[in-house]
Amino acid sequence: MTAAAPRVQLVRDATFVRLGADGEISGSGGPAPDGLFFQDARHLSRWHLTVDGTAPAALVPATPETDATATCVLTPEGTRDHPPACTVFRRQSVTAGTLTEHLTLVGNRPDPVTARIDLTVDADFADLFELRADDREYAKPGAQYETADTADGLLITYRRADWRSRTELTCRPAPDTAAPAPAGPRDTARTLTWHLPLDAHGRAELHLTVRAHPHGRPAPVPATAEGGPDRPESATDDLSRTVERGLADIDLLTVPVTGVDGEEVRVPAAGIPWFLTLFGRDSLLTSYFLLPYRSGTAAAVLSALAATQGERHDAYSGEQPGRIVHETRHGELAHFRQVPYGRYYGAVDATPLFLVLLHAHHETTGDPSLALRLERHARRAVDWMLTDGGLDEHGYLVYTPDPCGLVNQNWKDSAGAVCFADGTQAEGPIAVSEAQGYAYDALVRTARLADEVWRDEPYARGLRDTAARLRDRFTADFWMPEADFPALALDGTGRRVDALASDAGHLLWSGILDTERSRRVGRRLLEPDFFSGWAIRTLAAGQRPYHPLSYHRGSAWPHDNAVIALGLARHGLAAEVRTVTEGLVAAAAHHGHRLPEVLAGYDRSATAGPVPYPHSCSPQAWAAATPLALRTALAQAAR
């Protein structure tokens, strides 16, 4: 059995397209769907070209020229004695909500010929959650699909109650005919036909433009990258090349959202294909990694998250007053609340990370204006940590598994990720270790803002007292003397969740552990059961739940390693910082200097290059920003 041909992915301006090696779209779903995607929906699900009645073969498979443009060379059927009458040069590009295609047909014969071009087109307007679902179907009562011929192409429309989406195709020249395509699942597919004359060794051109018009959205405006000296020129070493690729990916992932005062801001979306939208935790950590190099990204993210901060209690979405959003969605299923992710607040860590980044922005830039502008939002975030977040009642930030959303609400949010050493999932209310570190850091940092910017010393003193009590309590409750290592979490009964996990490295970054314990943890994370040679695994090998291809129970995540590297640097573990950096940079070199979202946990000695995780997002924002964090950690460790 041969492996499926890899998809070609083009990305720009909050839009992406996934194509086959011949530039085709078949309407596939599952872990690697193809199509044109914009605003959480697929606006083109069928794009099939034939020449003279047959599908041309890819003489040169689709090859990206840039991140947004690919070309391929196609030939219709022919033999050695009767070679094809023409060759098709196909160029495809994506920009804001738009796919453009330029076909150049070149005649190969000394006599004039006429080439018949057929293009079958359809749009299923599938929500990303439909395509991602393994075994679930979502009801769509009253859904209506309609295709109308226009003077120069097609208009495909989808309606459901108050929901409207359209896909528009414009052709130059206009097709000679348009007819219903056979075997379409909704009778909306059309086959457009052209008869293009080719002079002897002549050429003909066909220009096609597909525009997505999602529900409730104005026409998108192409983004402008945040340029400047932060983008290295002519990088000569592997870390610099990885930084350069990472910054380019951040630009690709940048999407427009609304800021706290109604202004448009541009923020890094989490990743492609599933997460091309604002994500609280992902955007916050990405911005933190970028902060010494691109402080404007942090300001934009903080404004966007303040604009979506929780106002009320809603059990379905997890919204609570002061809570920072986990993710926002714009698709049909979110609109009709068939999934809770329109604005979903199921994250225990986004709120303290919001406070961490707000202070870090002031500390880095020396500009107090953002901290003043968002003072009310910061105080409400602290209030959430103390009340609904659980600090007052439970002594820790806690979450209860959400039956409609996420079972785990820390960064390891897959089912089973917060587990005991025997593999059993912890039951809530769950207090994960790294979230307590974030809470501690958030309290300490917000106290500094209260002192230095808001001039509220009593409030600052109260925050410092709360932070000190949390730190003392944490060491007593989480430290496992027999393992000389912190527990992954406390379950709802207060029992230590004893799997040895990478979350412990985040505690070095936040400062909740004392220096001596931090250094012992840092060195432990570089032992062979944790460190694969490429990166630190999410779970130490040799434990019952370890699996090198598990999403969070044995894989290795670049951003996780970046946080750990910053923690190692904080505690003077320079050699360990260099080891982590070398492994990740070497892994990136095998992927065109692009770090994927996640790597399999196999040891570096097992293969010539890192084994990819099968469902990894790429590009992915916090992986793209990881080399910037590594550069910062190296500089800090060298001081």
Side-chain angles (χ1 to χ4, degrees):
M1 181 177 178
T2 58
R7 303 274 186 218
V8 174
Q9 179 172 278
L10 307 177
V11 187
R12 189 171 176 182
D13 300 331
T15 309
F16 69 97
V17 65
R18 283 184 154 190
L19 306 161
D22 50 4
E24 302 278 280
I25 295 170
S26 64
S28 65
D34 61 355
L36 172 65
F37 295 89
F38 186 52
Q39 292 292 310
D40 291 335
R42 179 161 64 185
H43 280 264
L44 193 63
S45 58
R46 196 170 175 192
W47 190 253
H48 178 57
L49 178 75
T50 64
V51 181
D52 294 330
T54 63
L59 188 63
V60 178
T63 303
E65 290 185 345
T66 68
D67 292 309
T69 300
T71 59
C72 62
V73 181
L74 308 175
T75 57
E77 282 187 346
T79 65
R80 184 173 59 184
D81 295 329
H82 300 283
C86 67
T87 300
V88 181
F89 294 82
R90 190 175 208 174
R91 180 184 179 87
Q92 296 165 301
S93 298
V94 68
T95 187
T98 303
L99 170 68
T100 58
E101 177 160 325
H102 180 198
L103 294 172
T104 302
L105 281 72
V106 176
N108 297 327
R109 293 181 178 172
D111 302 310
V113 297
T114 296
R116 173 178 169 169
I117 302 295
D118 291 305
L119 180 68
T120 301
V121 183
D122 200 4
D124 62 4
F125 301 98
D127 191 287
L128 276 177
F129 283 94
E130 291 179 83
L131 298 174
R132 190 179 175 190
D134 295 327
D135 55 3
R136 180 174 179 181
E137 293 186 5
Y138 292 91
K140 294 190 171 185
Q144 296 179 1
Y145 300 83
E146 179 183 337
T147 301
D149 298 331
T150 64
D152 53 4
L154 297 173
L155 181 63
I156 308 174
T157 303
Y158 173 69
R159 297 181 177 87
R160 178 186 167 197
D162 63 341
W163 183 268
R164 301 284 187 277
S165 293
R166 295 176 295 130
T167 296
E168 178 186 15
L169 169 62
T170 304
C171 312
R172 290 189 295 115
D176 298 326
T177 61
R186 292 164 304 280
D187 297 325
T188 52
R190 290 288 189 276
T191 298
L192 309 180
T193 301
W194 293 262
H195 297 88
L196 300 178
L198 293 169
D199 294 335
H201 295 292
R203 60 193 294 148
E205 312 279 343
L206 179 56
H207 295 267
L208 307 166
T209 303
V210 181
R211 293 186 176 88
H213 300 277
H215 175 79
R217 300 286 296 187
V221 178
T224 301
E226 184 183 340
D230 46 42
R231 181 78 70 84
E233 308 252 344
S234 303
T236 56
D237 64 274
D238 282 342
L239 177 57
S240 294
R241 292 186 183 101
T242 309
V243 166
E244 187 175 36
R245 178 67 261 177
L247 288 171
D249 284 345
I250 293 295
D251 291 339
L252 291 176
L253 291 167
T254 297
V255 298
V257 297
T258 301
V260 69
D261 294 321
E263 77 281 15
E264 182 183 273
V265 295
R266 293 185 176 269
V267 302
I272 293 174
W274 307 117
F275 308 116
L276 194 60
T277 186
L278 174 67
F279 262 67
R281 176 193 308 121
D282 298 54
S283 297
L284 286 162
L285 282 175
T286 297
S287 302
Y288 186 92
F289 295 167
L290 292 172
L291 189 54
Y293 313 95
R294 289 187 174 185
S295 61
T297 303
V301 166
L302 288 164
S303 179
L305 293 175
T308 54
Q309 189 174 29
E311 297 285 347
R312 61 193 177 96
H313 287 93
D314 179 7
Y316 184 60
S317 68
E319 182 179 0
Q320 294 166 341
R323 196 177 195 181
I324 296 300
V325 76
H326 171 60
E327 67 182 279
T328 62
R329 292 290 183 174
H330 310 283
E332 174 189 358
L333 298 182
H335 176 79
F336 290 107
R337 288 176 68 89
Q338 291 176 274
V339 295
Y341 302 110
R343 281 191 184 177
Y344 184 62
Y345 291 81
V348 73
D349 49 8
T351 306
L353 287 172
F354 174 85
L355 295 167
V356 169
L357 184 64
L358 182 62
H359 171 265
H361 179 271
H362 170 249
E363 183 179 50
T364 300
T365 64
D367 181 358
S369 60
L370 186 64
L372 287 167
R373 183 184 179 201
L374 301 183
E375 177 182 356
R376 180 176 68 88
H377 301 85
R379 289 177 183 261
R380 293 179 66 233
V382 170
D383 289 344
W384 177 84
M385 291 201 302
L386 296 173
T387 57
D388 289 314
L391 278 180
D392 282 347
E393 180 181 353
H394 299 279
Y396 296 109
L397 289 187
V398 299
Y399 65 86
T400 300
D402 181 357
C404 298
L406 295 173
V407 172
N408 289 309
Q409 297 188 3
N410 61 326
W411 84 262
K412 294 179 178 177
D413 58 6
S414 61
V418 180
C419 62
F420 291 87
D422 65 1
T424 306
Q425 163 70 34
E427 295 184 358
I430 300 170
V432 288
S433 62
E434 78 275 13
Q436 315 318 315
Y438 303 159
Y440 169 77
D441 197 20
L443 292 166
V444 170
R445 287 175 176 271
T446 307
R448 293 177 188 155
L449 288 178
D451 266 336
E452 300 165 9
V453 180
W454 306 333
R455 304 303 180 190
D456 189 344
E457 195 278 332
Y459 186 63
R461 185 170 59 251
L463 295 179
R464 282 193 293 268
D465 290 345
T466 302
R469 291 194 299 271
L470 173 59
R471 193 174 196 239
D472 292 342
R473 196 164 54 241
F474 179 85
T475 301
D477 292 346
F478 276 78
W479 191 257
M480 300 186 296
E482 65 284 0
D484 198 33
F485 204 77
L488 170 58
L490 302 180
D491 72 2
T493 68
R495 190 164 52 129
R496 291 172 181 151
V497 180
D498 59 349
L500 302 184
S502 63
D503 307 57
H506 293 224
L507 307 177
L508 281 63
W509 174 59
S510 64
I512 197 170
L513 285 180
D514 63 75
T515 298
E516 188 52 43
R517 283 189 175 90
S518 293
R519 288 176 175 165
R520 297 205 303 270
V521 169
R523 294 185 180 106
R524 177 69 181 86
L525 289 168
L526 271 294
E527 292 183 13
D529 59 342
F530 263 118
F531 186 65
S532 71
W534 304 112
I536 296 167
R537 301 178 177 98
T538 48
L539 210 64
Q543 301 177 96
R544 180 176 176 82
Y546 170 77
H547 191 306
L549 291 175
S550 169
Y551 200 46
H552 291 125
R553 302 207 318 186
S555 58
W557 290 62
H559 92 277
D560 186 28
N561 281 251
V563 174
I564 294 170
L566 291 169
L568 294 170
R570 176 174 181 161
H571 294 282
L573 298 174
E576 287 80 359
V577 173
R578 290 192 294 271
T579 297
V580 172
T581 299
E582 188 280 328
L584 285 170
V585 170
H590 288 273
H591 296 276
H593 301 287
R594 170 183 279 167
L595 280 168
E597 175 189 28
V598 55
L599 301 165
Y602 295 106
D603 194 83
R604 187 168 178 173
S605 63
T607 55
V611 177
Y613 177 78
H615 310 298
S616 180
C617 287
S618 185
Q620 206 264 0
W622 57 15
T626 286
L628 280 300
L630 297 176
R631 175 172 281 178
T632 300
L634 287 169
Q636 291 174 349
R639 290 174 189 162

